[in-house]
Amino acid sequence: MNWKYSEDVVLEPAGLAQARAHSLELGIDPVSPAVGAQLGVLAAASGAQAIIEVGTGAGVSGLWMLRGAPHASITSIDTEVEYQQAARAAFLAEGIPANRFRLIAGRAVDVLPRMNEDSYDLVLIDADAENVIEYVEHGLRLVRKGGTVAVPHALWRDRVADPAQRDDTATDFRTLITELSKSSAVLVALSPAGDGLLQITKVGD
């Protein structure tokens, strides 16, 4: 009941609702409204100026973050050009100038190593769950001190909390959360909103 209420209480603006509908038409699983709202709060609270996301989709998560940080620029990586075309249209429809977003078509494992470290205020990782550990390592390299790496789907369809679930993805998320929680270089919070939102704030090197 609490989970449903936290989703239902979020009122998505028309442009976001349209992007969500388009996502579902394309077979994309976008962040839930509650997770999107949390991403917007993270962007606003951090005063984000530079955002990078892995997994453009049709622009739902990007729109939420830019709603929270209306003067930020966003770099978004996805292998699917069709998805990025939908995201571009969604951004432009919301009045976001083209010079405030950069869409990179390619594999994140190839693109992320080329990005500048300590250069981003917020990093979102929402793609290729099987590579989540590697992506988070890159995210922590890219984010500035005091910035946050956010990982939706961190509870992985309710499998992560169940130790009997031993598939690779659930195990990787479980390992990631456990190891990060032991680190003095980050502050970690796991929200149960949506399918889980892991928030990792960099406080040291």
Side-chain angles (χ1 to χ4, degrees), residues 15-35:
L16 256 163
Q18 185 173 358
R20 180 175 300 282
H22 200 177
S23 297
L24 297 176
E25 290 171 4
L26 291 170
I28 301 167
D29 181 17
V31 296
S32 75
V35 170

Side-chain angles (χ1 to χ4, degrees), residues 70-83:
H71 302 295
S73 61
I74 186 169
T75 298
S76 190
I77 305 163
D78 205 301
T79 57
E80 299 292 338
V81 174
E82 182 183 9
Y83 296 173

Side-chain angles (χ1 to χ4, degrees), residues 183-187 201-205:
S183 173
S184 61
V186 295
L187 296 175
T201 297
K202 185 176 179 179
V203 294
D205 299 319

Side-chain angles (χ1 to χ4, degrees), residues 96-178:
I96 299 167
N99 64 358
R100 284 188 44 222
F101 60 88
R102 177 170 60 149
L103 305 179
I104 300 176
R107 299 192 316 147
V109 291
D110 299 324
V111 176
L112 290 175
R114 303 200 300 266
M115 310 307 286
N116 293 329
E117 62 184 55
D118 300 320
S119 298
Y120 297 90
D121 305 298
L122 180 58
V123 177
L124 177 69
I125 296 168
D126 188 18
D128 304 336
E130 65 272 16
N131 293 316
V132 66
I133 292 177
E134 181 178 357
Y135 290 164
V136 168
E137 289 174 350
H138 280 297
L140 289 172
R141 180 182 64 83
L142 299 178
V143 76
R144 64 168 175 79
K145 191 172 181 178
T148 297
V149 177
V151 188
H153 306 293
L155 292 175
W156 198 246
R157 304 180 178 91
D158 292 329
R159 300 176 69 82
V160 173
D162 182 357
Q165 303 296 332
R166 295 291 183 178
D167 59 278
D168 289 346
T169 301
T171 299
D172 284 350
F173 270 116
R174 203 176 292 127
T175 299
L176 178 66
I177 293 165
T178 299

